[in-house]
């Protein structure tokens, strides 16, 4: 509950389809595109708080002037810091020549980032150091405009080693072994190949070098570059890129794991990870924003034309369900409905946990991201109480006592704000034992909301991943209210397997459900299963990628979901609290019913959408058994 989970990144791309002067005349500002980029990034700030970056391309620049600009920051206020530098560039241009304020074409020459193609990125450091070099966008520079490449993305590749070796085999010498660098260099390699192909053809036709450069900028086959580049990608990705002459693209993985949406009209083409960001920035209805189809790329040409083109044959769509439960902005129409449904779905199990005693049960939520699921839970409990009221009223007969009738009609679910996070509290103690006591007071409880020794307290969260915060802080804090029973509800199912496509859940030993299953195996004298899975996992990782299977599933097979839930509750319950603790998890069936368009459930079922995911989970298990506290990818 409330574990800090680092999340996938966010992207934003804008292509201005009119001359810059058009936006100055219509919207009263030459900075129209930059303002929209800022808004898109701020509205996706939930997707990246470790850093941010922007880049721009100026189309048809005057020779001798810079046409690719980039700024990145790992500051806590990265977006504001970056756009503060953009604003300083504007102020400096005006100070040097006040007349440029009314002349967009001259401002374009004198001010950085005054380009027609704009790319923004928000970073969560799921892998690598929180250094500036690891922030996107990343560049591959060249003196020929059509060979320049700028890339930013929301992605993790599971087969970095194979991609790295492939680059070496074609003669490259990559300076780092990371998915970002391998993706950048692989696309860059095929960009070079396409440049060479077109140059050779037109040189044979008698074109001079200057003419060839112009032809390449018009005829560059961006789709084929992406087809060649993405052939060996295994992972979840939404990749955005810009070429130096003005072509741009956004590519989505064949399983649709990572989210990507776009909108276009006569003025702009815009792409973002989240739909509400586009809706807010451009005042659009939900149905006006399109989802980029899995395996397709939105390709935007230098002349402003665009098309959605097939790059890799789509697989079964396995869009990430955990994204919908936890990370996506709840302001999205469909995300809101899904979280309501998730909250409703767990109610039968909650009723069993409190023995259907709704009159002596208080409902709440921690943290704020679980608020919508809490609304769904309350709606279902209201429906349950309506059924209870109906039954009790009928039992009163044809001439009911008015007082008894009023008492029945007054029944309603008891929702309280039992905890409020104190954002100001910071600990100055570094010793873990002493520090835990302060951490336990990060939340203030609302005294008087629970009747001590009488009420059950039901608290819903999005998910329970590691359970560290639950054990060290939340349960102790809730126990101070004096409930006879604390029921912690997860709107997500048990998280049993690591992620390798962008969310920071990389180690088996970190997962509370996995630790519970291991404890059960040891208690029931079935440690041989651990050894057997370890041997098979070691044999599996040596096989080709396409042959990978998730053998770690067998760790959970001997036990029911309820047995695992009960053991998690036992492991996470502090010894020094008075209340009984129960855990209620979403069912897999409830998840699928609530999020029918997002069937990517590998965290919960182990059914990874790519073979690379199977290899990662096997590696993660091997690392756990061998005591290696490292990532499996």
């Amino acid at each position: 509950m409330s574990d800090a989970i680092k999340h996938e990144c966010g992207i934003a791309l804008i292509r201005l389809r009119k001359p810059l002067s058009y936006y100055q005349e219509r919207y009263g500002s030459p900075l129209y595109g930059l303002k929209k980029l800022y808004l898109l990034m701020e509205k996706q700030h939930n997707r990246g708080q470790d850093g941010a970056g922007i880049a721009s391309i100026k189309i048809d620049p005057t020779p001798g002037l810079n046409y690719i600009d980039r700024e990145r920051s790992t500051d806590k206020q990265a977006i504001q810091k970056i756009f503060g530098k953009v604003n300083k560039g504007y102020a400096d241009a005006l100070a040097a020549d006040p007349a440029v304020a009314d002349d967009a074409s001259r401002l374009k020459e004198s001010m950085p980032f005054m380009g027609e193609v704009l790319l923004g990125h928000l970073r969560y450091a799921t892998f690598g150091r929180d250094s500036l070099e690891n922030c996107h966008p990343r560049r591959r520079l060249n003196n020929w405009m059509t060979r320049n490449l700028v890339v930013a993305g929301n992605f993790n590749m599971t087969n970095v080693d194979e991609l790295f070796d492939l680059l070496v085999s074609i003669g490259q010498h990559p300076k780092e072994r990371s998915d970002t660098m391998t993706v950048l260099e692989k696309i860059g390699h095929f960009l070079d190949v396409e440049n060479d192909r077109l140059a050779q053809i037109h040189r044979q036709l008698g074109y001079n070098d200057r003419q060839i450069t112009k032809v390449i900028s018009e005829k560059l086959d961006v789709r084929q570059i992406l087809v060649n580049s993405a052939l060996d990608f295994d992972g979840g990705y939404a990749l955005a890129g810009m070429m130096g002459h003005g072509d741009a693209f956004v590519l989505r993985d064949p399983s649709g794991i990572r989210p990507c949406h776009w909108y276009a009209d006569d003025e702009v083409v815009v792409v973002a990870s989240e739909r509400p960001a586009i809706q807010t920035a451009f005042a659009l209805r939900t149905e006006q924003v399109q989802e980029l189809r899995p395996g397709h790329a939105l390709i935007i040409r230098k002349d402003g034309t665009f098309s959605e083109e097939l790059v890799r044959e789509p697989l079964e769509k396995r869009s990430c369900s955990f994204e919908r439960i936890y990370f996506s902005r709840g302001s999205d129409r469909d995300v809101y409905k899904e979280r309501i449904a998730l909250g409703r779905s767990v109610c039968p199990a909650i009723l069993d946990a409190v023995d259907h005693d709704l009159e002596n049960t208080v409902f709440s939520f921690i943290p704020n991201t679980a608020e919508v699921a809490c609304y769904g839970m309350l709606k279902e409990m209201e429906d349950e109480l309506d059924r209870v009221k109906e039954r009790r009223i009928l039992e009163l007969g044809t001439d009911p006592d008015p007082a008894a009738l009023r008492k029945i009609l007054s029944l309603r679910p008891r929702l309280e704000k039992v905890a409020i996070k104190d954002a100001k509290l910071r600990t100055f103690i570094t010793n873990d034992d002493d520090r835990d006591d302060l951490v336990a007071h990060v939340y203030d409880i609302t005294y008087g909301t629970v009747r001590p020794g009488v009420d059950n307290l039901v608290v819903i969260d999005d998910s329970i991943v590691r359970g560290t915060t639950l054990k060290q802080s939340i349960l102790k804090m809730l126990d101070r209210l004096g409930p006879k029973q604390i029921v912690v509800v997860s709107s997500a199912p048990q998280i049993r397997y690591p992620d390798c496509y962008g969310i920071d859940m990389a180690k088996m030993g970190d997962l509370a459900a996995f630790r519970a299953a291991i404890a059960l195996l040891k208690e029931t004298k079935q440690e041989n299963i651990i050894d057997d899975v370890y041997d098979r996992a070691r044999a599996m990782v040596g096989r080709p990628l396409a042959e990978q299977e998730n053998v770690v599933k067998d760790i959970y097979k001997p036990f029911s979901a309820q047995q695992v839930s009960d053991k998690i509750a036992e492991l996470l319950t502090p010894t020094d609290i008075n209340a009984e603790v129960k855990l209620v998890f979403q069912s897999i069936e409830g998840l699928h019913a609530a999020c029918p368009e997002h069937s990517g459930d590998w965290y919960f079922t182990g059914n990874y959408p790519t073979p690379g995911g199977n290899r990662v989970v096997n590696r993660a298990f091997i690392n756990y058994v061998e005591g290696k506290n490292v990532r499996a990818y």
Side-chain angles (χ1 to χ4, degrees):
M1 172 174 279
S2 303
D3 289 325
I5 309 169
K6 290 191 174 182
H7 180 224
E8 57 210 47
C9 304
I11 58 173
L13 184 143
I14 296 175
R15 170 61 161 95
L16 301 176
R17 303 183 70 197
K18 303 282 189 182
L20 295 177
S21 58
Y22 169 89
Y23 304 95
Q24 184 172 24
E25 294 170 6
R26 177 163 185 180
Y27 297 105
S29 171
L31 307 181
Y32 173 82
L34 288 165
K35 289 180 177 180
K36 294 298 185 183
L37 183 66
Y38 172 80
L39 190 54
L40 284 175
M41 293 177 69
E42 280 290 5
K43 290 301 178 181
Q44 296 183 105
H45 197 186
N46 56 302
R47 305 185 70 86
Q49 297 166 13
D50 292 332
I54 66 171
S56 72
I57 299 287
K58 297 178 181 181
I59 295 177
D60 293 329
T62 302
L65 296 179
N66 183 49
Y67 59 93
I68 300 178
D69 293 297
R70 181 185 66 168
E71 184 67 40
R72 299 174 296 172
S73 174
T74 56
D75 191 85
K76 289 184 178 180
Q77 302 294 325
I79 300 174
Q80 291 87 341
K81 186 172 182 178
I82 288 169
F83 281 92
K85 291 188 176 182
V86 171
N87 288 331
K88 183 179 184 303
Y90 180 55
D92 290 346
L94 292 184
D97 183 3
V100 300
D102 300 315
D103 190 333
S105 60
R106 289 172 61 190
L107 185 62
K108 176 180 175 180
E109 293 189 351
S110 59
M111 175 186 164
F113 297 101
M114 273 297 291
E116 292 87 351
V117 194
L118 305 168
L119 177 60
H121 185 263
L122 296 139
R123 181 174 189 261
Y124 252 138
T126 58
F127 185 75
R129 299 178 302 275
D130 295 344
S131 67
L132 195 63
E133 183 59 26
N134 285 302
C135 281
H136 295 192
R138 299 289 290 268
R139 299 181 300 185
R140 191 176 191 263
L141 301 180
N142 195 287
N143 277 346
W144 277 263
M145 294 179 69
T146 55
R147 292 178 184 263
N148 283 282
L149 177 65
V150 183
V151 169
N154 169 18
F155 65 94
N156 266 14
M157 298 299 175
T158 69
N159 61 332
V160 173
D161 290 341
E162 286 90 342
L163 296 175
F164 183 90
D165 292 343
L166 180 61
L167 293 176
V168 173
S169 71
I170 60 177
Q172 288 197 19
H173 186 86
K175 66 177 184 178
E176 63 185 72
R177 189 183 290 264
S178 70
D179 51 6
T180 300
M181 180 54 66
T182 52
V183 165
L184 176 69
E185 290 300 331
K186 198 156 188 275
I187 297 174
H189 167 74
F190 287 107
L191 176 62
D192 287 342
V193 169
E194 175 66 3
N195 269 267
D196 292 340
R197 183 185 72 85
L198 290 171
Q200 182 179 3
I201 290 172
H202 290 86
R203 192 167 286 115
Q204 292 173 349
L205 294 174
Y207 286 65
N208 62 40
D209 288 342
R210 188 164 185 174
Q211 290 172 322
I212 287 173
T213 297
K214 183 175 185 299
V215 169
I216 291 174
S217 70
E218 296 169 350
K219 295 187 176 183
L220 202 70
D221 192 341
V222 177
R223 176 188 174 275
Q224 193 58 50
I225 293 170
L226 296 177
V227 168
N228 295 336
S229 303
L231 182 64
D232 302 307
F233 289 170
D234 186 290
Y237 49 88
L239 289 170
M242 308 183 295
M243 281 81 165
H245 62 289
D247 283 355
F249 66 86
V250 182
L251 171 65
R252 192 179 185 197
D253 66 84
S255 298
I257 296 171
R258 297 276 70 94
C260 191
H261 297 82
W262 65 279
Y263 165 78
D265 59 24
D266 291 341
E267 296 180 279
V268 296
V269 180
V270 56
V271 184
S273 294
E274 297 206 38
R275 180 168 62 184
I278 300 176
Q279 289 182 247
T280 299
F282 293 89
L284 302 172
R285 300 184 306 276
T286 298
E287 57 271 16
Q288 290 178 278
V289 182
Q290 301 187 53
E291 181 181 4
L292 183 58
R293 288 181 287 174
H296 286 69
L298 182 68
I299 297 173
I300 311 163
R301 299 309 308 265
K302 177 190 172 185
D303 62 6
T305 59
F306 63 92
S307 58
E308 190 179 24
E309 300 190 27
L310 178 67
V311 171
R312 290 187 61 182
E313 198 63 38
L315 304 172
E316 177 188 358
K317 190 177 180 186
R318 299 291 304 283
S319 300
C320 174
S321 58
F322 200 46
E323 160 117 12
R324 314 295 283 187
I325 297 168
Y326 189 83
F327 295 111
S328 296
R329 293 182 73 88
S331 57
D332 183 275
R333 178 193 66 186
D334 294 338
V335 170
Y336 185 85
K337 292 178 180 178
E338 290 161 10
R339 291 181 181 175
I340 290 288
L342 288 167
R344 281 184 174 273
S345 181
V346 290
C347 285
I350 296 173
L351 289 168
D352 288 342
V354 300
D355 198 24
H356 290 256
D357 184 11
L358 293 180
E359 294 178 62
N360 298 306
T361 298
V362 173
F363 296 93
S364 193
F365 59 90
I366 301 175
N368 289 341
T369 51
E371 185 175 6
V372 178
C374 184
Y375 292 159
M377 177 176 67
L378 263 292
K379 289 175 187 289
E380 186 63 28
M381 291 304 178
E382 288 171 353
D383 292 346
E384 172 65 16
L385 274 179
D386 284 345
R387 291 187 286 270
V388 171
K389 291 177 186 179
E390 180 182 6
R391 185 177 67 252
R392 292 186 181 180
I393 290 172
L394 290 174
E395 290 172 353
L396 293 176
T398 57
D399 187 22
D401 176 63
L405 185 59
R406 283 195 297 273
K407 183 178 179 180
I408 294 171
L409 292 174
S410 68
L411 291 175
R412 59 181 55 85
R414 294 168 56 196
L415 175 66
E416 302 288 355
K417 183 78 170 177
V418 301
I420 302 169
K421 192 167 188 178
D422 187 352
K424 302 183 298 299
L425 187 63
R426 296 290 184 270
T427 178
F428 60 92
I429 298 174
T430 57
N431 180 275
D432 288 343
D433 293 337
D434 295 327
R435 194 171 174 273
D436 286 347
D437 183 59
L438 283 180
V439 171
H441 293 83
V442 168
Y443 283 91
D444 289 331
I445 57 171
T446 308
Y447 293 98
T449 53
V450 174
R451 293 174 295 179
V454 176
D455 288 332
N456 304 301
L457 176 57
V458 176
V459 181
I460 191 169
D461 191 8
D462 317 277
S463 60
I464 298 171
V465 185
R466 303 175 184 92
T468 306
T469 307
L470 184 61
K471 183 172 185 176
Q472 294 179 351
S473 174
I474 301 296
L475 286 173
K476 293 179 181 179
M477 176 265 295
L478 296 177
D479 190 58
R480 299 206 304 269
L481 292 168
K484 65 180 182 182
Q485 180 178 239
I486 300 172
V487 180
V488 178
V489 181
S490 169
S491 68
Q494 297 168 5
I495 296 173
R496 298 182 166 196
Y497 303 94
D499 183 55
C500 53
Y501 303 119
I503 294 174
D504 188 25
M505 294 189 293
K507 302 170 186 176
M508 295 294 303
D510 287 347
L511 305 180
F514 176 76
R515 297 197 306 272
I518 292 294
L520 286 169
L521 288 172
K522 292 179 179 179
E523 285 180 10
T524 56
K525 310 299 182 185
Q526 299 184 77
E527 293 98 326
N528 63 297
I529 293 178
I530 301 174
D531 296 332
D532 176 66
V533 171
Y534 172 70
D535 290 339
R536 288 190 289 132
R538 282 181 58 85
M540 185 62 67
V541 295
R543 296 183 184 179
L545 193 64
E547 297 179 14
Q548 296 293 314
E549 297 177 6
N550 181 0
V551 301
V552 183
K553 289 182 179 182
D554 286 350
I555 292 293
Y556 297 95
K557 278 187 178 179
F559 312 109
S560 68
Q562 188 60 53
Q563 286 177 295
V564 176
S565 294
D566 292 343
K567 179 52 69 172
I568 297 172
E570 179 185 327
L571 294 176
L572 298 185
T573 300
T575 57
D576 56 347
I577 69 171
N578 298 313
E580 179 186 3
V581 175
K582 293 180 181 178
L583 296 187
V584 170
F585 286 90
Q586 181 71 253
S587 67
I588 299 297
E589 296 76 16
L591 171 69
H592 290 167
C595 307
E597 299 301 318
H598 292 76
S599 61
D601 60 2
W602 55 90
Y603 316 91
F604 320 114
T605 65
N607 298 327
Y608 288 87
T610 75
N614 292 328
R615 184 169 66 182
V616 166
V617 69
N618 292 328
R619 282 178 173 172
F621 183 77
I622 293 169
N623 290 339
Y624 168 79
V625 174
E626 296 180 352
K628 297 177 180 177
N629 187 30
V630 296
R631 294 174 176 273
Y633 61 90

